Amino acid sequence: MIQVYPDPESLSRAAAALLVTQANLAVAARGRFSVALSGGTTPRRTYELLAAPPWVDQGPWGRVHVFWGDERCVPLTDPRSNARLAKEAWLDRVPIPADQIHPLNCARDPADAARQYEAQLREFFAGQPPRLDLVLLGLGDDGHTASLFPGAPVLKEGERWAAAVCLAEPDLHRVTLTAPLINQAAMVAFLVAGKSKADVLREVLHGPYDPERLPAQLIQPQPGKLFWLTDQEAAALVPAG
Ligand code: 6PG
């Protein structure tokens, strides 16, 4: 389902409301809420809103468990770190217990970090299906999401839950959750804003299925729900309805 908002601010408010709503539903049903956060620039405002009224007063923060959909393999203090982005904008400002926040630290050894992250997830799900309650994702203008980049070997990963991704340009390794893991989530929400995403959003949603070229097309959660939260600029080329 695609929801188009007038501007990035209203998109961010809708995303904050979605996360808090899903968190309270999950806590009421199962006593905890697990979310995998996206990096990039789009979600920053959502994270800031989650640390401010009304949402800061509504979240069941003591029952929230935070993971990341992907991370750049830089120190967690590096301005490029996705964990630093979320901690500065939100997580350092709400009472989520520190042991419930699981940053992905792959600065030293991406492959080992991916193995360790998968082990953390397996411990968290304790033999049950790895059904994250919510995965937030962004969309790159090349059709990537998380760190699932066009043509990358990880696109064909069918078993592992996390994998290292070696990018030549820029010279920046990453670790990403894999599509099979993301697709087991109860809900996946893409946050897509800005006119630079209009072409790729139309291609991903209405173009031929070509996940090698458009990895975001791999994300088809079943039986989970898939939402696209966009602003008018990003949705400008998406056929109405
Ligand atoms: C990352 C993200 C990445 C991001 C997209 C969109 O680590 O960069 O996980 O997948 O979501 O590149 O980024 P923007 O929101 O900055 O356009």
Side-chain angles (χ1 to χ4, degrees):
M1 172 195 288
I2 181 165
Q3 294 168 333
V4 182
Y5 296 90
D7 49 50
E9 179 68 11
S10 51
L11 160 59
S12 303
R13 297 174 74 84
L18 177 68
L19 187 142
V20 167
T21 299
Q22 290 308 114
N24 283 304
L25 287 172
V27 167
R30 291 177 300 281
R32 71 182 190 184
F33 170 70
S34 58
V35 59
L37 301 181
S38 169
T41 57
T42 304
R44 173 187 292 277
R45 183 58 181 146
T46 297
Y47 299 154
E48 289 170 350
L49 291 171
L50 287 164
W55 297 287
V56 72
D57 304 317
Q58 297 171 357
W61 307 124
R63 301 295 187 91
V64 171
H65 298 256
V66 180
F67 296 91
W68 272 264
D70 73 327
E71 183 56 283
R72 294 87 175 273
C73 294
V74 293
L76 295 179
T77 52
D78 188 299
R80 295 169 294 176
S81 163
N82 290 338
R84 173 174 160 171
L85 162 70
K87 285 171 67 64
E88 283 183 350
W90 170 33
L91 301 177
D92 290 349
R93 304 163 185 266
V94 293
I96 299 176
D99 65 355
Q100 294 175 197
I101 299 175
H102 308 277
L104 210 170
N105 188 348
C106 58
R108 193 175 54 78
D109 180 340
D112 185 53
R115 283 189 294 273
Q116 288 191 31
Y117 211 57
E118 177 159 338
Q120 276 189 54
L121 285 162
R122 288 186 183 280
E123 182 183 353
F124 178 76
F125 287 108
Q128 297 303 310
R131 187 173 168 80
L132 288 158
D133 292 304
L134 177 62
V135 176
L136 295 182
L137 292 174
L139 177 66
D141 53 18
D142 62 352
H144 83 262
T145 190
S147 287
L148 303 170
F149 286 90
V154 69
L155 302 186
K156 294 187 168 55
E157 179 56 56
E159 299 300 325
R160 288 185 295 169
W161 295 2
V165 178
C166 303
L167 290 183
E169 182 61 41
D171 178 21
L172 184 62
H173 291 189
R174 295 179 175 221
V175 169
T176 187
L177 297 187
T178 61
L181 178 68
I182 293 170
N183 283 334
Q184 295 188 64
M187 182 181 288
V188 177
F190 279 89
L191 310 185
V192 187
K195 54 176 172 292
S196 71
K197 305 294 175 72
D199 278 325
V200 69
L201 184 61
R202 182 205 50 223
E203 281 205 271
V204 166
L205 293 180
H206 293 277
Y209 183 66
D210 184 4
E212 274 295 306
R213 189 171 65 86
L214 299 166
Q217 291 182 331
L218 287 172
I219 307 307
Q220 301 183 30
Q222 287 297 336
K225 296 177 185 162
L226 175 60
F227 285 99
W228 292 83
L229 280 66
T230 74
D231 71 354
Q232 278 174 350
E233 285 191 346
L237 302 177
V238 173

